[in-house]
Amino acid sequence: MTIEQELANVTPEKLTVEHVSKWFRTRRATVHALDDVSLTVREGEFVCLVGPSGCGKSTLLNIIAGLESPDAGRVLADGKPVTGPGRERMVMFQESALFPWLDVLDNVMFGLKLKPQLKNQERREVAEFYLKLVGLEKFATANIHELSGGMKQRVALARALAPNPRVLLMDEPFAALDAMTREQLYGDIQQIWAKRRKTIIFVTHNVREAACLGDRVVLFSPNPGRIQEQFTVDLPRPRDINSVELAKHSTEIMRALKRHLRPEISEVAE
Amino acid sequence: MKRGLVVCGFAVLMIASWEIVCRLKIWSPVLLPNPLAVGEYLAQAIRDGTLWQATLVTTKRLLIGYFLSILFGVPLGLLTARFKFAEDTLGVLALGLQTLPSVCWIPLALLWYGQTEGAMLFVVIMGSLWSILIATDNGVRTVPPIYARAASTMGSKNFHTWIKVILPASLPFIVSGMKQGWGFAWRSLMAAEIYVTILTGFGLGHLLHYGRELNAMDQVIGVMLVIITIGLLADKILFSPWEKFLHRRWGTARN
């Protein structure tokens, strides 16, 4: 063993994507959604997957979540192959996917009720803790339809955090929100990430958003879905999406993106 | 409070215009008795117990048949929505039988069960089961798939997903299907009671039928009023609380 190996302080690999390929067969055509994609995510890392629509980034997220299975290759979570969805890797969707027949607190408690080792009182306390974390403790008994879009995504975040997963998979969770609400949520998600030390994979088509949130930005290109380039963003946190340094990073990523896909530029927002 | 007054006021207005029409003597009192005569019939029928007895017999048949329909209809609807095989067999059968007017079941029920309670129950069940089944099936199919996906990431599987996600998510459809099923059950039972004499119990339909036989228009109208009242009460007691809850939760209320 060399001295370098002895002194290295390597964070363990949380997720490993090994040579994953995926095709979608529809009646009209076969779409090559992912082509030999490999990716490693370390424990506690915040990784953003960016690319235009149809580049397979959401598909990869679903495969990591275990909601879809790859046609080739495999995904390892903590060294074990992913075979289906699990509480260790919670997903947050673009639409909040909250259950309208439950109130806010019961929505957050849904995942906790599936944890057999907890008592009901404890479940309630845990749910209240996470509602407080997202700043909605006053809305515990509200109905879902009474919440604004931003509040719904906060509840969805609390629901995803409640079973205490190590990995959070977010599929364009802020895409449908207005700019003001989104900026607030950028702050919140960074804060929660720092407080709870989760591993986060965040899918977006917004380059600036990716640069603002990610330790690392992974650039995808479509037809077939491939990883083109990876960027490390080493700005101090919490980051302001409007800062000049951030703009430099996002411009760099944007340029790379345009290089890789001339025809699809229009679909990507800076 | 205000709405209650409106309802009462409207009822008074209806009865008053009925009385006026009677006083105009356009039709013979044999064909159109005045409200007082109908009221007298009802009072007398309540006093001697026939009305109470008939209502009891009818609602018992209705409730048993209806709850059996729900008991089978909802799970079978879940089944046809979940399994292609059930959809192609049971689903098609349900669709076919639902188009059959429930009166058409009466001859068959009589031949199979004779003039018994069994025949009555059979007709009620055939009248409501299929529409409840189809409404449930329909409701399940309109549940956004994202709910089940979200639930599965939280560790929900097969049976749990069905009971805790799919079923509550399709509740608005199921409740409206149950309401429709109630209407069908009520209609088929009335048809059955008017059509056949059942030796084991004398229901509202029979009262109506004998009113016609005896040319007693006060009885006919009186019993019809009772039937309407039961229908209204059932709606208010059985379905209104559910519908209010659903509107509040889903945010579909008008005000």
Side-chain angles (χ1 to χ4, degrees), chain B residues 1-247:
Chain B
M1 192 57 208
K2 195 184 158 206
R3 291 178 62 203
L5 281 175
V6 169
V7 171
C8 289
F10 182 68
V12 170
L13 197 74
M14 291 290 288
I15 294 169
S17 32
W18 174 11
E19 178 66 36
I20 289 166
V21 171
C22 288
R23 295 217 175 161
L24 291 175
K25 297 204 189 315
I26 306 170
W27 293 287
S28 135
V30 178
L31 290 182
L32 186 69
N34 60 25
L36 201 65
V38 173
E40 265 166 17
Y41 161 75
L42 286 174
Q44 176 259 321
I46 289 168
R47 242 176 300 147
D48 68 16
T50 44
L51 194 62
W52 179 239
Q53 194 58 39
T55 306
L56 209 66
V57 166
T58 298
T59 41
K60 200 178 119 204
R61 284 172 184 157
L62 187 66
L63 287 178
I64 294 175
Y66 178 59
F67 283 114
L68 282 174
S69 296
I70 293 176
L71 201 67
F72 289 106
V74 173
L76 288 179
L78 294 178
L79 217 61
T80 55
R82 171 69 183 79
F83 298 106
K84 259 255 144 343
F85 182 73
E87 183 192 347
D88 293 339
T89 52
L90 189 63
V92 175
L93 184 74
L95 215 56
L97 291 184
Q98 204 232 347
T99 61
L100 187 69
S102 48
V103 194
C104 302
W105 286 105
I106 296 171
L108 186 140
L110 281 177
L111 290 174
W112 275 6
Y113 296 95
Q115 285 162 288
T116 63
E117 290 299 311
M120 292 286 122
L121 272 185
F122 183 77
V123 172
V124 171
I125 292 173
M126 285 302 129
S128 59
L129 175 68
W130 309 116
S131 72
I132 292 173
L133 190 158
I134 288 166
T136 307
D137 176 280
N138 228 335
V140 169
R141 283 172 204 278
T142 53
V143 173
I146 191 135
Y147 290 157
R149 276 164 84 88
S152 77
T153 64
M154 289 184 272
S156 172
K157 281 196 194 100
N158 316 324
F159 193 66
H160 183 272
T161 308
W162 277 87
I163 298 301
K164 294 286 185 181
V165 181
I166 307 287
L167 195 62
S170 45
L171 215 52
F173 280 85
I174 294 178
V175 169
S176 71
M178 275 161 57
K179 197 169 168 178
Q180 195 191 11
W182 171 264
F184 281 131
W186 194 214
R187 270 152 238 228
S188 12
L189 181 60
M190 282 305 110
E193 284 191 350
I194 290 171
Y195 195 64
V196 275
T197 313
I198 298 298
L199 307 168
T200 46
F202 202 72
L204 285 170
H206 299 117
L207 272 187
L208 200 57
H209 177 69
Y210 288 112
R212 185 193 75 95
E213 299 263 288
L214 302 169
N215 250 347
M217 203 56 181
D218 52 351
Q219 180 171 343
V220 169
I221 291 178
V223 175
M224 281 172 73
L225 286 178
V226 172
I227 292 172
I228 290 170
T229 311
I230 291 175
L232 269 177
L233 281 179
D235 197 86
K236 289 286 166 221
I237 294 166
L238 284 178
F239 299 109
S240 270
W242 278 91
E243 286 177 325
K244 274 192 188 133
F245 166 78
L246 291 176
H247 284 322

